[in-house]
């Protein structure tokens, strides 16, 4: 074999190895890669739910509860960006990533409603209408939590 074909084979082998290493390093939406963001969102929705509970029982102010919900919304947005950055190469990975993003979207929507209900001056625990609205929001937060918990169990994240 002459020097040129041998050099070409070495270079091609090196390129294949480098491509394999790089492909192995890219984040894919496996249960392990989704665990951190899913746990972050799970904690966020539970914290917001607690803030609503505290407001319903008049154990916190509207401002404190609203701020907590807003902070938790930021955590969910961060986790959503992290999941969007994952590359899904198979249909199963795409389905899992899309299901997680759908659950995160439900949580975000519930958190937005919670924040809005908590920041409304008319939603005090002594106000019947306000308490009813907070109870509705609490139900929405619980439904979003159940959806996320179910998905985490199905995906083997918990």
């Amino acid at each position: 074999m002459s020097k040129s074909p041998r050099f070409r084979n070495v270079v091609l082998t090196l390129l294949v190895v480098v491509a394999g290493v790089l492909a192995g390093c890219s984040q894919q939406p496996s249960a392990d890669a989704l665990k951190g963001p899913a746990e972050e969102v799970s904690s966020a929705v539970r914290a917001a739910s607690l803030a609503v509970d505290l407001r319903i029982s008049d154990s916190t102010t509207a401002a404190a509860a609203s701020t907590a919900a807003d902070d938790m919304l930021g955590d969910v947005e961060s986790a959503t960006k992290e999941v969007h950055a994952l590359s899904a190469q198979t249909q199963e990975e795409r389905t899992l990533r899309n299901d997680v993003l759908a659950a995160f979207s439900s949580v975000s929507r519930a958190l937005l409603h919670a924040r809005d209900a908590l920041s409304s001056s008319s939603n005090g625990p002594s106000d019947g209408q306000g308490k009813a609205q907070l109870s509705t929001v609490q139900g929405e937060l619980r439904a979003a939590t159940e959806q996320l918990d179910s998905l985490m169990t199905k995906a083997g994240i918990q």
Side-chain angles (χ1 to χ4, degrees), residues 15-28 89:
L15 288 174
V16 168
V17 169
V18 168
V21 168
L22 290 176
C25 292
S26 69
Q27 282 284 4
Q28 298 175 5
Q89 297 175 358

Side-chain angles (χ1 to χ4, degrees), residues 136-158:
T136 300
V137 166
Q138 185 61 280
E140 188 177 356
L141 288 167
R142 286 191 179 120
T145 301
E146 289 171 8
Q147 178 187 6
L148 181 60
D149 287 349
S150 175
L151 178 62
M152 289 172 69
T153 299
K154 178 182 162 187
I157 295 172
Q158 291 182 331

Side-chain angles (χ1 to χ4, degrees), residues 45-145:
V45 71
R46 283 174 169 73
S49 190
L50 177 61
V52 171
D53 282 342
L54 291 171
R55 185 64 189 137
I56 288 172
S57 67
D58 202 17
S59 297
T60 190
T61 65
S66 176
T67 299
D70 196 47
D71 289 348
M72 296 306 101
L73 186 59
D75 289 349
V76 174
E77 289 171 355
S78 174
T80 300
K81 287 178 186 174
E82 190 174 335
V83 172
H84 270 293
L86 298 174
S87 64
Q89 297 175 358
T90 67
Q91 182 59 39
E92 184 178 302
E93 290 172 346
R94 282 188 291 276
T95 299
L96 179 58
R97 184 184 65 192
N98 290 342
D99 289 348
V100 167
L101 290 171
F104 286 8
S105 178
S106 294
V107 169
S108 291
R109 193 171 31 260
L111 288 172
L112 283 168
H113 294 158
R115 182 192 63 191
D116 292 347
L118 289 164
S119 63
S120 175
S121 60
S122 65
N123 285 339
S126 59
D127 176 17
Q129 183 181 1
K131 195 168 193 171
Q133 186 176 9
L134 290 173
S135 293
T136 300
V137 166
Q138 185 61 280
E140 188 177 356
L141 288 167
R142 286 191 179 120
T145 301

